[in-house]
């Protein structure tokens, strides 16, 4: 590998790290967006994420902001928060292990009365990590709506 | 020697059977492989031809939604009606014109009407193709040596159709017959000349025919330009080559679609739900749009909407051609933007939409005006795709839901005594979704037309004489989050003197219709404020400053406090049209984008920018984002780092305090479900969906651990 290749690889790695952290300058973002999708990004991102998290379990796939599917030393594949909290088997909805709060849709804190849903129709169901309290999902749903199971990755390969 | 000419119907059946049996549209890409340069050059010439024709047509049309908003698209189709190439523009209609051409072929138009060069067929029957009666297409066949070799089609969105309410998109319709003039694949021109009696029909059939008739001329001209150019090109390359490349372009896209999925999306099962509903007399119910996206390791993409509610006598639903169009529009913008736009993408994707549901009605007499869960389905699908990109590492493609585009309708007699009827398409500049890396753009986006523009208020005032007292960026409209959704437009209209006006609006029921993603909040609910019997005339005469803003972070907008009137507010924005006196005020919003990520993770500098720009306030900064904004004596905005850290820690503690373990939450909620203690709009939806979808009913019962055969109480 030549020096300039090394430099451009480093620059790209750095761009992707900044993208993940939400601090990538927009001109560099456009470069990434225009790039041909070759499928190898997943490996780069896994390496960056593995480096970012404060624990050492192997990441199999980033599930969403703050959540990962990891493989533990004992072979179990579980959903794990950035903070280290584990939500259990990845084949089950992590929401079943979260903290839940139903917010009035016009509580004057998040939504003013003329900007929020009618509480007869919908409320806001917020899901938090029980350890770090990160808000992991907000479902605008009526009473009685089952938790949405957003993503079941196909890891059996 | 002559061979008996095969009918188009036989050719269509053969083409469809071939695809069904082999799974491919064209088995060998011989031109692409042997002469890739010619292959690409020819496609570029076709694309250029279509796009040039679109530009010409835009400048011929007199209708603001076409001219200013660019609500127009042209396509080139095979003889059997498969789309080969499309211009830029209204991407929803990649496949809807294909549907209409195939419908004519299947319904014996070839033998009963005859197809001749110079014929133009008009269609705005959305069960055949298109989205609603506003979506109007004009299709023309072209011939080589007496043989029909292909079709050209143009489509525009027209703002008046002679519906029960002016402006075509009324929220009160309970039957298709309320939607105005619906004309299924009618010949309206021969020898490239429009029939005079069709102009008369439209002129007498709608409130104001200018947009419809001007658009017909624009589409005819565009089609004609394309036909001549395509025939010129055909003459150069020869018929065999032309036929072969057209099939190869479609097959090439089909293959590229699989490849793009394989390289871009993580395999797995994704689920998202979007929300709509009905608010008409005697029918108030929620409607979910449950999207399941399955990405296979081989790059197959399957979409299922099992669990959609049933079609009813209400306008918040869509025909299957429209729903297909919405979905492919979303998929093209989110995944397949760098492929050739044609029916190859359509062939590569498996789609399940239950027959009889609100996105595939089993009765053509039902209205399908406002799309409801079909628009929601596209939002949900885009969020599912975003998750698949996220897992694959392509964070630059990840975003929350795009806005529900919503706006106003009006009709009556203008200051010149002319009848008018129109909808205002400024909602083509709604608030964009938040992405995983930046805030959504304000007043810059609609999912259905990425090139859309809001149009000059002065041009709109010529077509619908409501006077804009304000047109501003909506404050705190975009969903809160680490990155916030873009804000839509807030417009405050005044009814001027000397006109007669009925005015209304369309949007959603009183719900959040645009979800956030991965911890972000949904966009604000839409709403209308109507002020009757105002003192605005006195304010004008006194020369005092007129109301011009919502203000920010208010339970009641600023303009409401500034104008003495009988005010009413309709959350969700569904307001059937009714007469308003001069000097009445009518305030609408255009929809905002969903938020992304936990708001407590938002960079304080982004909050400061919004406060400085007057788009958000100090209270929201503290309560939603946990940021303590400071202002120095000179008015410079900043934030207190220490106080912010401690406020954010406090917010987190409060979350842990108020949050209930999911198991406990479910135990309590289960009691409510068992007892039928569910507000009416959702109860009606559960009962309906569980009746028509045993699969969804089983999932519902399993989730709540309900007894077999459990039904939600009436
Ligand atoms: Zn955590």
């Amino acid at each position: 590998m030549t020096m300039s290749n090394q430099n451009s690889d480093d620059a790209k790695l750095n761009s992707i790290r900044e993208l993940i952290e939400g601090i990538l300058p927009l001109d560099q973002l456009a470069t990434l967006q225009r790039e041909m999708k070759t499928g190898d990004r997943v490996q780069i991102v896994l390496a960056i994420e593995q480096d970012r998290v404060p624990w050492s379990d192997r990441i199999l796939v980033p599930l969403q902001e703050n959540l990962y599917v990891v493989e533990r030393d004992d072979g179990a594949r579980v959903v794990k928060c950035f903070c280290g909290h584990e939500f259990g088997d990845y084949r089950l909805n992590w929401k079943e292990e979260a903290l839940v709060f139903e917010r009035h849709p016009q509580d004057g804190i998040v939504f003013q009365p003329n900007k929020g849903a009618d509480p007869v129709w919908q409320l806001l169901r917020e899901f938090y990590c029980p350890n770090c309290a990160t808000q992991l999902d907000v479902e605008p749903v009526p009473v009685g709506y089952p938790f949405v199971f957003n993503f079941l990755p196909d890891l059996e390969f | 020697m002559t061979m008996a000419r095969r009918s188009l119907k036989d050719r269509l059946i053969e083409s469809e059977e071939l695809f069904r049996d082999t799974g491919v549209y064209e088995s060998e890409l011989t031109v692409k492989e042997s002469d890739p340069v010619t292959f690409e050059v020819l496609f570029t010439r076709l694309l250029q031809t279509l796009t040039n024709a679109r530009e010409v047509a835009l400048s011929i049309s007199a209708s603001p939604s076409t001219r200013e908003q660019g609500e127009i698209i042209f396509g080139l189709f095979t003889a059997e009606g498969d789309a080969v190439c499309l211009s830029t523009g209204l991407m929803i209609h990649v496949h809807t014109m294909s549907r209409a051409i195939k419908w004519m072929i299947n319904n014996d138009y070839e033998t009963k009407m005859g197809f001749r060069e110079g014929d133009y067929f008009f269609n705005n029957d959305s069960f055949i193709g298109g989205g609603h009666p506003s979506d109007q297409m004009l299709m023309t066949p072209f011939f080589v040596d007496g043989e029909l070799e292909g079709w050209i089609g143009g489509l525009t969105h027209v703002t008046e159709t002679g519906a029960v309410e002016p402006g075509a998109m009324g929220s009160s319709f309970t039957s298709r017959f309320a939607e105005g003039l619906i004309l299924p694949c009618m010949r309206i021109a021969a020898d490239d000349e429009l029939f005079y009696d069709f102009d008369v029909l439209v002129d007498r059939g709608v409130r104001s025919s200018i947009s419809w008739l001007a658009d017909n001329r624009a589409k005819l001209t565009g089609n004609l330009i394309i036909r001549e150019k395509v025939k010129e090109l055909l003459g150069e390359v020869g018929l065999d080559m032309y036929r072969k490349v057209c099939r190869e372009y479609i097959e090439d896209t089909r293959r590229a679609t699989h490849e793009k999925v394989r390289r871009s999306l993580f395999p797995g099962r994704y689920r998202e739900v979007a929300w709509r509903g009905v608010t008409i007399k005697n029918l108030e119910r929620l409607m979910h749009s449950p999207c399941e996206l399955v990405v296979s390791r081989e790059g197959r993409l399957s979409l299922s909407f099992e669990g959609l509610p049933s079609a009813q006598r209400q306008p918040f639903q869509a025909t299957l051609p429209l729903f297909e169009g919405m979905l492919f529009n979303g998929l093209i913008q989110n995944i397949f933007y760098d492929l050739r736009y044609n029916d190859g993408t359509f062939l590569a994707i498996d789609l399940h939409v239950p027959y009889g549901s609100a996105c595939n009605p089993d009765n053509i007499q039902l209205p399908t005006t406002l799309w409801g869960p079909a628009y929601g389905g596209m939002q949900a699908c885009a969020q599912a795709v975003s998750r698949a990109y996220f897992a694959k590492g392509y964070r630059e493609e990840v975003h929350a839901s795009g806005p529900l585009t919503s706006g106003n309708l009006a009709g009556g007699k203008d200051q010149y005594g002319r009848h008018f009827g129109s909808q205002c398409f400024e909602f083509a500049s709604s608030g964009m979704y938040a992405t995983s890396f930046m805030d959504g753009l304000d007043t810059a986006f609609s999912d259905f037309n990425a090139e859309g523009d809001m149009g000059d208020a002065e041009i709109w005032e010529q077509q619908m004489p409501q006077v804009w007292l304000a047109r501003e960026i909506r404050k705190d409209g975009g969903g809160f989050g680490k990155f916030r959704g873009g804000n839509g437009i807030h417009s405050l209209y005044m009814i001027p003197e000397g006109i007669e006006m009925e005015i209304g609006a369309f949007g959603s029921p009183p719900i959040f219709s645009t979800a956030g993603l991965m911890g972000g909040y949904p966009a604000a609910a839409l709403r209308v404020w109507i002020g009757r019997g105002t003192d605005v005339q006195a304010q004008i005469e006194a020369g005092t400053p007129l109301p011009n803003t919502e203000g920010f972070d208010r339970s009641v907008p600023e303009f409401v406090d500034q104008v003495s009137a009988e005010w009413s507010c309709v959350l969700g924005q569904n307001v059937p049209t009714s007469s308003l006196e001069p000097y009445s005020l009518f305030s609408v919003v255009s929809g905002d984008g969903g938020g992304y990520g936990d708001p407590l993770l938002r960079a304080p500098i982004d909050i400061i920018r919004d406060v400085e720009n007057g788009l958000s306030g100090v209270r929201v900064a503290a309560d939603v984002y946990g940021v303590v904004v400071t202002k120095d004596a000179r008015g410079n905005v900043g934030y207190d780092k220490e106080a912010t850290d401690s406020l954010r820690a406090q917010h987190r503690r409060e979350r842990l305090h108020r949050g209930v373990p999911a198991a406990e939450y479910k135990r309590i909620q289960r009691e409510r479900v068992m007892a039928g203690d569910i507000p009416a709009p959702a109860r009606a939806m559960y009962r309906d969906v569980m009746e028509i979808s045993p699969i969804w009913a089983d999932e519902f019962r399993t989730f709540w651990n309900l007894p077999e055969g459990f039904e939600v109480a009436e």
Side-chain angles (χ1 to χ4, degrees):
Chain A
M1 184 182 288
T2 63
M3 200 58 186
S4 69
N5 265 345
Q6 181 63 53
N7 284 345
S8 73
D9 281 359
D10 285 352
K12 186 172 169 189
L13 200 70
N14 198 43
S15 289
I16 295 169
R17 182 178 290 112
E18 288 183 355
L19 172 66
I20 290 171
E21 286 164 4
I23 55 169
L24 183 68
L26 289 187
D27 55 332
Q28 291 176 43
L29 180 81
T31 311
L32 282 182
Q33 281 180 321
R34 287 192 198 105
E35 205 173 71
M36 177 81 138
K37 289 184 173 50
T38 51
D40 58 359
R41 176 73 70 79
V42 66
Q43 298 308 327
I44 300 170
V45 167
L46 279 175
I48 294 170
E49 291 278 27
Q50 197 74 62
D51 202 36
R52 284 176 75 225
V53 295
W55 32 259
S56 60
D57 297 303
R58 186 166 75 94
I59 299 173
L60 299 176
V61 60
L63 202 64
Q64 63 156 73
E65 284 279 324
N66 289 77
L67 296 181
Y68 305 83
V69 177
V70 302
E71 189 163 71
R72 285 196 316 224
D73 288 344
D74 63 4
R77 293 172 164 191
V78 298
V79 175
K80 197 175 176 97
C81 185
F82 188 91
C83 73
H85 181 82
E86 288 183 3
F87 287 80
D89 192 312
Y90 82 98
R91 289 165 299 185
L92 304 173
N93 194 351
W94 59 265
K95 290 176 185 171
E96 304 271 359
E97 299 296 325
L99 293 181
V100 186
F101 173 64
E102 274 188 4
R103 182 181 291 282
H104 189 287
Q106 304 178 348
D107 66 357
I109 297 171
V110 176
F111 288 99
Q112 291 289 1
N114 93 105
K115 288 206 163 106
D118 181 334
V120 168
W121 286 72
Q122 241 183 5
L123 44 90
L124 292 164
R125 196 155 64 193
E126 302 178 354
F127 293 90
Y128 312 132
C129 170
N131 181 51
C132 68
T134 299
Q135 181 163 290
L136 297 166
D137 202 37
V138 179
E139 294 181 343
V141 286
V143 170
Y145 201 73
F147 296 170
V148 181
F149 190 174
N150 295 114
F151 178 24
L152 176 64
D154 176 359
L155 295 178
E156 305 306 318
F157 58 86
Chain B
M1 189 179 84
T2 56
M3 294 203 310
R5 192 188 295 163
R6 284 179 309 147
S7 73
L8 279 174
K9 200 170 181 174
D10 288 344
R11 287 164 69 179
L12 176 56
I13 290 168
E14 198 175 290
S15 169
E16 286 177 348
E17 276 176 358
L18 184 74
F19 180 73
R20 203 175 50 233
D21 295 346
T22 63
V24 296
Y25 188 76
E26 181 73 1
S27 54
E28 306 283 335
L29 299 185
T30 49
V31 180
K32 184 183 179 186
E33 277 150 22
S34 66
D35 190 356
V37 174
T38 304
F39 186 76
E40 292 300 331
V41 168
L42 285 180
F43 189 81
T44 306
R45 284 178 64 185
L46 290 176
L47 183 60
Q48 213 166 42
T49 299
L50 290 160
T51 304
N52 286 347
R54 177 175 183 266
E55 290 304 315
V56 172
L58 276 178
S59 55
I60 291 171
S61 173
S63 98
S65 70
T66 302
R67 199 184 178 111
E68 304 252 322
Q69 272 66 49
E71 293 288 310
I72 182 167
I73 189 167
F74 285 97
L76 173 69
F77 305 83
T78 64
E80 301 86 21
D82 295 315
V84 175
C85 183
L86 289 114
S87 73
T88 54
L90 255 183
M91 276 298 154
I92 292 175
H93 300 287
V94 168
H95 188 62
T96 65
M97 285 190 279
S98 294
R99 279 257 187 194
I101 295 166
K102 287 171 197 271
W103 188 89
M104 285 193 283
I105 296 170
N106 281 324
N107 284 277
D108 300 316
Y109 270 46
E110 189 177 25
T111 50
K112 292 191 167 20
M113 297 289 292
F115 292 133
R116 281 170 299 273
E117 188 152 308
D119 285 350
Y120 291 77
F121 292 87
F122 175 94
N123 178 62
N124 73 337
D125 181 335
S126 56
F127 281 88
I128 293 173
H132 36 202
S134 282
D135 289 335
Q136 306 192 341
M137 56 186 79
L138 197 60
M139 298 156 286
T140 189
F142 65 91
F143 292 75
V144 177
D145 301 330
E147 186 94 23
L148 193 155
E149 282 302 334
W151 294 84
I152 293 143
L155 188 145
T156 58
H157 180 99
V158 166
T159 49
E160 164 61 26
T161 58
V164 166
E165 293 186 41
M169 282 161 67
S171 56
S172 68
F173 303 165
T174 56
S175 130
R176 175 198 215 209
F177 307 108
E179 291 182 321
L181 280 184
I182 296 175
L183 306 169
C185 292
M186 278 179 64
R187 182 158 63 210
I188 65 158
D191 302 320
D192 299 326
E193 293 274 349
L194 288 161
F195 298 154
Y196 176 68
D197 57 355
F198 187 76
D199 282 4
V200 173
L201 171 77
V202 174
D203 208 35
R204 298 182 66 85
V206 307
R207 291 171 183 80
S208 166
S209 60
I210 176 134
S211 122
W212 187 323
L213 296 181
D215 276 8
N216 269 358
R217 281 150 180 78
K219 283 176 282 197
L220 185 142
T221 309
N223 281 1
L224 187 59
I225 292 171
I226 295 163
R227 187 184 77 203
E228 294 312 304
K229 283 280 182 194
V230 168
K231 288 182 83 169
E232 204 179 294
L233 187 139
L234 216 152
E236 276 175 47
V237 301
L239 186 56
D240 289 345
M241 176 69 151
Y242 175 81
R243 284 181 177 170
K244 181 73 174 120
V245 287
C246 283
R247 293 192 67 84
E248 288 195 16
Y249 292 140
I250 294 172
E251 173 64 12
D252 189 43
T253 298
R254 193 193 66 78
R255 294 182 189 182
T257 300
H258 287 306
E259 187 58 17
K260 185 90 201 262
V261 169
R262 204 178 57 76
R263 291 179 176 187
S264 312
L265 306 181
F266 199 94
R269 190 194 73 190
Y270 301 85
R271 287 181 167 183
E272 289 288 332
V273 176
W275 293 92
R276 292 293 186 276
V278 193
T279 47
I280 56 174
K281 220 176 161 193
N282 303 325
L283 186 61
E284 284 208 329
R285 77 166 51 166
L286 261 168
M287 290 191 287
H288 68 169
S289 192
C291 172
E292 179 174 291
L293 171 78
V294 175
V295 177
S296 82
R297 282 173 237 166
E298 298 75 32
R300 270 213 94 74
L301 207 150
S302 313
L303 273 170
S304 168
F305 289 84
E306 183 63 39
L308 273 170
S310 63
Q312 303 276 335
R313 290 177 57 107
Q314 56 90 5
F316 300 92
Q317 54 197 5
T319 61
L320 183 61
L322 180 275
F323 192 35
E324 290 172 348
M326 277 324 274
L327 292 170
F328 285 90
N329 163 68
L331 291 171
I332 283 172
Q333 293 194 43
N334 289 304
I335 315 176
F336 307 117
Y337 48 80
D338 53 354
L339 309 186
R340 298 175 219 285
Y341 307 150
N342 63 33
D343 268 338
T345 299
F346 184 78
L347 295 174
I349 292 166
D350 303 321
L351 177 63
H352 167 63
V353 186
Y355 186 57
S357 73
C359 296
N360 189 3
D362 50 3
N363 174 358
I364 70 159
Q365 301 202 351
L366 295 175
T368 55
T369 330
L370 285 163
W371 303 352
Y375 204 114
M378 176 190 62
Q379 292 173 311
C381 177
Q383 290 213 149
V385 167
S386 283
R387 289 182 182 277
Y389 269 129
F390 187 98
K392 194 80 169 174
Y394 292 109
R395 306 286 168 89
E396 65 271 39
E397 304 284 358
V398 174
H399 63 79
S401 290
L404 168 59
T405 47
S406 49
N408 88 300
L409 312 162
K413 243 186 213 175
D414 69 11
Q415 62 272 38
Y416 308 111
R418 297 179 309 198
H419 290 283
F420 72 91
S422 187
Q423 58 198 233
C424 180
F425 245 67
E426 64 182 359
F427 59 72
S429 295
S430 291
M432 196 174 191
Y433 41 66
T435 63
S436 77
F437 49 87
M438 66 183 273
D439 290 349
L441 299 175
D442 297 328
T443 63
F445 179 81
S446 62
D447 273 298
F448 55 82
N449 181 358
E451 291 173 276
D453 186 3
M454 67 182 78
D456 292 332
E458 291 77 8
I459 301 289
W460 284 117
E461 284 170 355
Q462 289 172 22
Q463 173 153 334
M464 42 201 312
Q466 54 206 24
V467 171
W468 268 254
L469 292 191
R471 187 193 241 185
E472 61 170 343
I473 300 176
R474 195 182 186 200
K475 291 152 180 48
D476 286 329
F480 302 125
K482 178 180 169 186
F483 295 104
R484 68 157 172 85
N487 297 302
I489 305 174
H490 160 239
S491 282
L492 179 62
Y493 310 132
M494 182 190 76
I495 315 304
E497 235 176 15
I499 67 162
E500 292 169 22
M501 188 180 257
E502 287 178 69
I503 187 165
F506 58 90
S508 72
I511 61 168
F512 298 109
S513 48
T514 298
L517 189 67
M518 301 185 191
Y521 281 102
L526 308 168
R527 91 291 174 284
V528 160
W529 282 90
I530 303 168
R532 292 182 172 82
T534 71
D535 63 352
V536 171
Q537 187 176 14
Q539 291 193 27
I540 292 171
E541 279 161 9
T544 53
L546 292 173
N548 66 2
T549 183
E550 274 194 308
F552 58 80
D553 196 30
R554 300 171 60 97
S555 57
V556 162
E558 199 170 305
F559 60 80
V560 171
D561 285 345
Q562 289 169 338
V563 174
S564 148
E566 186 193 316
W567 282 103
S568 56
C569 174
V570 178
L571 268 177
Q573 204 153 295
N574 286 334
V575 180
T577 53
S578 65
S579 281
L580 280 188
E581 296 292 304
Y583 299 104
S584 298
L585 297 184
F586 196 87
S587 151
V588 294
V589 290
S590 72
D592 318 278
Y596 179 89
D598 184 349
L600 293 185
L601 300 175
R602 182 165 177 77
I605 190 163
D606 292 339
I607 292 160
I608 292 167
R609 194 187 52 236
D610 280 347
V611 172
E612 279 177 330
N613 288 337
L615 296 176
S616 190
V618 173
R619 207 258 334 143
V620 167
D623 285 359
V624 178
Y625 293 112
V627 171
V628 179
V629 173
T630 56
K631 278 185 191 168
D632 67 16
R634 307 168 73 177
N636 294 322
V637 181
Y639 80 106
D640 180 330
K641 168 108 183 34
E642 227 166 84
T644 294
D645 288 347
S646 111
L647 183 57
R648 285 185 159 178
Q650 185 191 326
H651 277 315
R652 290 197 177 90
R653 281 194 303 274
E654 285 169 2
R655 284 177 179 176
L656 295 179
H657 179 70
R658 68 178 178 244
V660 179
E664 168 78 0
Y665 171 85
K666 280 181 73 174
R667 194 181 53 74
I668 298 161
Q669 292 297 311
R670 181 177 181 276
E671 299 301 310
R672 290 191 70 174
V673 173
M674 286 292 284
D677 178 18
I678 298 170
R683 205 166 62 227
M685 181 189 91
Y686 293 139
R687 289 182 58 80
D688 172 51
V689 171
M690 289 173 77
E691 190 184 323
I692 68 166
S693 174
I695 296 171
W696 199 87
D698 274 350
E699 291 209 0
F700 184 84
R701 292 186 195 110
T702 304
F703 179 84
W704 292 116
N705 190 23
L706 300 166
E708 204 177 317
F710 173 86
E711 285 180 26
V712 172
E714 207 164 341

